[in-house]
Amino acid sequence: MTLPPLPDHPWFATAVAALVAVGLALVAHTLLRGVLTRVADREQLLLPQAVLRRTARAASFAWPLLALQLVLQAAPDLLPGIGFLRHTGGIALIAAMTALAMGAIGGVADGVIARHPATVADNLQARRIHTQTRVLARSAMVLVFIGGCSLALMTFPGARQVGASLLASAGVLGLVA
């Protein structure tokens, strides 16, 4: 059995589109992050600096995965293995977006803590804010993590019930918090 010439291969156009989309997403991410970092540093904005620092790694995965997922969703349904790649890409995108959201929450917490230094003589108020911020941030991160896990589980037809239960428990935890 011989392979068809490369441009005639059924995956050729989709693979080229995926490479271009991922490349453009990486360039857009690098440019946008550079501009935002420069503005935050120039203006001495502690909160955006902390968020950008905490979301750097997750965003570098989320943008290309989003671009790849858009290409895979637009690809013809008749391509061999497209269903598996769409599903795997979807789960990876959910994981990256969950990590991005958790990083943003951690960055907001770091920014709030940085705005209230505990190094002053009368630091009772600052320590109270530090404690409250850490507790709220960790609680929010747990809720985001549970939500991300439940969304990932809901992509599997057999585990949809488990995912719905986890999402409901995250809602109940949110109400309790």
Side-chain angles (χ1 to χ4, degrees):
M1 179 176 157
T2 61
L3 291 174
L6 197 53
D8 293 336
H9 196 275
W11 271 97
F12 182 75
T14 303
V16 169
L19 286 174
V20 168
V22 167
L24 288 175
L26 286 171
V27 168
H29 164 70
T30 303
L31 291 175
L32 183 63
R33 184 170 258 345
V35 168
L36 291 175
T37 301
R38 182 172 292 196
V39 169
D41 288 346
R42 185 182 63 215
E43 300 294 325
Q44 295 296 315
L45 303 172
L46 296 176
L47 190 66
Q49 286 174 342
V51 171
L52 286 169
R53 188 172 43 255
R54 279 286 197 111
T55 59
R57 181 174 290 163
S60 67
F61 285 105
W63 281 95
L65 283 170
L66 178 63
L68 180 64
Q69 193 64 15
L70 290 173
V71 170
L72 290 176
Q73 292 301 323
D77 291 335
L78 299 176
L79 288 176
I82 190 70
F84 174 75
L85 282 177
R86 285 177 179 163
H87 188 245
T88 304
I91 292 173
L93 182 60
I94 290 169
M97 296 303 267
T98 301
L100 186 64
M102 290 173 67
I105 292 167
V108 168
D110 289 349
V112 169
I113 289 171
R115 293 180 82 181
H116 299 90
T119 57
V120 296
D122 186 22
N123 64 1
L124 185 61
Q125 175 74 5
R127 287 192 344 238
R128 184 178 62 81
I129 290 173
H130 286 209
T131 302
Q132 289 174 347
T133 301
R134 286 187 182 115
V135 168
L136 289 174
R138 288 176 184 158
S139 299
M141 284 185 202
V142 167
L143 291 176
V144 167
F145 181 76
I146 290 171
C149 288
S150 64
L151 286 174
L153 283 174
M154 283 195 225
T155 64
F156 295 98
R160 213 165 275 214
Q161 185 64 33
V162 174
S165 300
L166 278 175
L167 193 56
S169 69
V172 169
L173 282 175
L175 289 175
V176 169

